[in-house]
Structure formats: C-alpha cells, structure tokens
Amino acid sequence: MKFLFFRYNDGVTMAGETSPLLRTASPDDAGEASALIYETMGTLGDFLFGQPGRGESIRVVAALFRQAGHLLSYEHSTLAEADGRIVGIVQAFPGADLWKATLGLMRAGIRCWGLRFALRLGWRGLPLAFEPVAGADEYYVQTLAVAPSFRNRGIGRALLENAQRQTVERGFPVCSLDVLLDNTDALRFYQREGFTIARKVVTRLRAAGVQYNGFYRMVKRLDALPADANIGPHS
Ligand SMILES: CC(C)(COP(=O)(O)OP(=O)(O)OC[C@H]1O[C@@H](n2cnc3c(N)ncnc32)[C@H](O)[C@@H]1OP(=O)(O)O)[C@@H](O)C(=O)NCCC(=O)NCCS
C-alpha cells in the first residue's frame, strides 16, 4: 500500500487536535470507507440505491468503492487513520471529470448489481443530473467525512487541506465542493476553512423520507497563494 503523505500538522494547533496519518486508499479499504461515505448520503443514498436502510446502502457503496472509474471509487480517495483505524475520507478529482465519473457510477452499478439496479439509480437520480457540473479550472471535492467519534479534532481540516494540496500540485486554480443546503455545520466548517459560496442550486427531489433540497457550490481560489503557502484556515 502506497503512502503518499506523511503526518503533517502545519495549521493552527488546537487543544486535543489529532494529527492523522493520511494515505491513499485501496479496494481493500471498502468496508470502513463505505461507512464514512454513507455519512454524507444518509436517506438520499438509501433512496438512490433502492435500499431499505444504512446497512444495506453501506454494502452497496462498499461494492462500488472497489470498482474503478466513478464518483465513489477508491481511486481518488485519501484516508485518515488515527488510533489504528480509518476515521476519515476525502475523495477529489478534476471538475471536468465530474460528468464522466457520474456515468461511471452507472457502469459500476451494472457490474456490481446488474442493469436493473443501474436503471433505477439513473431514474431516481435524474433530477440531480440537471445540476451544474464543476468547471474545468476546478479540482472538485466529491466526499469529505470523518467518523462521528473523531470529529472536532482537526481531522476534517487535515483531509480538506490534502485536497487543496492536490489542487495546487495538479495545476488547478480553484478547489470546489458542494454542501447540502441544510448541512449548516459543514457549511460553517468550509467557511472557516476559507471557502465561499459561489452559487445556490435548488433542486426538487420528492421522495418519501428523503430530505434533499439542493446545495451550495463552494469554491476557494488557490492560484493567488505562493507555492509554499500554508493552506490552512483563515484567521
Ligand atoms: C464536516 C466534517 C467533515 C468536519 O470534520 P471534523 O473532523 O469534525 O472537522 P475539524 O475537526 O477539522 O473542524 C470542525 C470544527 O471543529 C473545530 N475544531 C477543530 N479542531 C478542534 C479541536 N482540537 N478542538 C475543538 N474544536 C476543534 C473547528 O474549528 C471546526 O469548528 P466549526 O464547526 O466552528 O467550523 C465532519 O463534521 C463530518 O464528517 N460531517 C458529516 C459528513 C458531512 O456532512 N460531510 C460534508 C459533506 S459536504
């Protein structure tokens, strides 16, 4: 297993902050990674994947995670380890690949669960397909999640900083992400990390038990920073 990044903690150190080990993911990480990815989906994931609840949806996400070439793949995942276990994940890739990665999810769905599964996913996700894709100048953070008992220790910040490092190293001027309109905690977290709201996207997705109203597209320009800048929180 290849370790890309070593422990770093060059932001503002706070009392009780955990310095996680960050490493690239492999298909073998599917079990723990899928539970973390599900944290960002909840009932929307149950609805899109046609599953009755958390356990079943996590099983679906785990199978998809092991496949290459789509939104939720291990391929573009970085994991955070603390206390000897996987406690956080960030998935990021070029914004121009977002549409391709979305279609890739359908293909991975066919491989894992058959055509019927993929058609249901496509049909139920159709309202989301009209949402704006990310720009070619953006490096897009698809997923950021930290295990509930490890939150508020700086692990989310370390993972987000990792995505920003990738943004700069891969030559993109902007790091971007979407946050659900009602996820006010995450919205505040991103604002603290220097991201600003670029647009509000309101989507009507009517399904029993699913709360999804749309998202804020948030961006952070990184091209104005010197190459050796500390990509930490704004004071
Ligand atoms: C959003 C999320 C990734 C943040 O991860 P995290 O590890 O808790 O983030 P951090 O610890 O780096 O920062 C979180 C907050 O704790 C504070 N904090 C950081 N280190 C701290 C410490 N050692 N002691 C106390 N507070 C600390 C930060 O200032 C921040 O405060 P804020 O909420 O006022 O902005 C996490 O809450 C999560 O997984 N949420 C569920 C999934 C989700 O909604 N993901 C986002 C989808 S868009």
Side-chain angles (χ1 to χ4, degrees):
M1 198 167 286
K2 192 167 77 158
F3 287 81
L4 260 191
F5 295 96
F6 297 94
R7 285 177 197 280
Y8 58 82
N9 189 10
D10 49 5
V12 179
T13 303
M14 303 171 76
E17 190 153 333
T18 302
S19 179
L21 176 72
L22 302 191
R23 66 166 173 86
T24 52
S26 82
D28 295 342
D29 299 310
E32 286 160 294
S34 56
L36 290 167
I37 294 170
Y38 182 79
E39 289 288 321
T40 67
M41 299 176 168
T43 52
L44 178 63
D46 299 340
F47 170 69
L48 293 175
F49 298 136
Q51 301 301 311
R54 182 176 184 277
E56 295 83 359
S57 290
I58 288 176
R59 199 166 59 92
V60 168
V61 176
L64 295 171
F65 183 87
R66 291 189 195 96
Q67 305 283 317
H70 67 88
L71 286 182
L72 306 177
S73 168
Y74 71 91
E75 274 181 317
H76 36 248
S77 304
T78 301
L79 304 175
E81 285 186 359
D83 296 351
R85 49 177 282 219
I86 295 169
V87 298
I89 186 168
V90 63
Q91 299 183 299
F93 46 79
D97 292 350
L98 186 54
W99 183 233
K100 199 173 68 185
T102 305
L103 288 178
L105 187 65
M106 301 275 291
R107 274 196 298 272
I110 294 173
R111 279 197 297 274
C112 292
W113 308 100
L115 185 60
R116 204 175 144 171
F117 171 90
L119 288 176
R120 183 177 55 203
L121 175 61
W123 176 247
R124 292 190 173 187
L126 200 59
L128 314 186
F130 297 102
E131 291 173 342
V133 293
D137 61 340
E138 296 171 24
Y139 199 69
Y140 179 76
V141 178
Q142 158 68 32
T143 302
L144 177 67
V146 173
S149 57
F150 283 82
R151 288 181 192 156
N152 296 320
R153 301 189 196 183
I155 294 173
R157 172 179 294 165
L159 286 164
L160 190 58
E161 285 178 4
N162 193 71
Q164 292 173 72
R165 280 165 209 266
Q166 290 179 345
T167 302
V168 173
E169 284 166 9
R170 295 171 190 188
F172 292 88
V174 176
C175 187
S176 71
L177 54 88
D178 298 333
V179 58
L180 298 187
L181 294 183
D182 48 13
N183 195 350
T184 48
D185 285 348
L187 175 64
R188 192 180 65 242
F189 164 76
Y190 291 129
Q191 285 173 326
R192 285 270 292 272
E193 298 302 318
F195 284 74
T196 56
I197 296 173
R199 65 193 296 182
K200 180 180 179 181
V201 177
V202 177
T203 304
R204 289 205 180 280
L205 192 150
R206 298 203 181 284
V210 179
Q211 199 188 358
Y212 180 82
N213 303 310
F215 61 84
Y216 294 111
R217 169 68 45 87
M218 302 193 78
V219 296
K220 183 172 175 180
R221 282 211 79 90
L222 297 168
D223 54 346
L225 299 175
D228 59 349
N230 173 14
I231 304 171
H234 286 190
S235 53

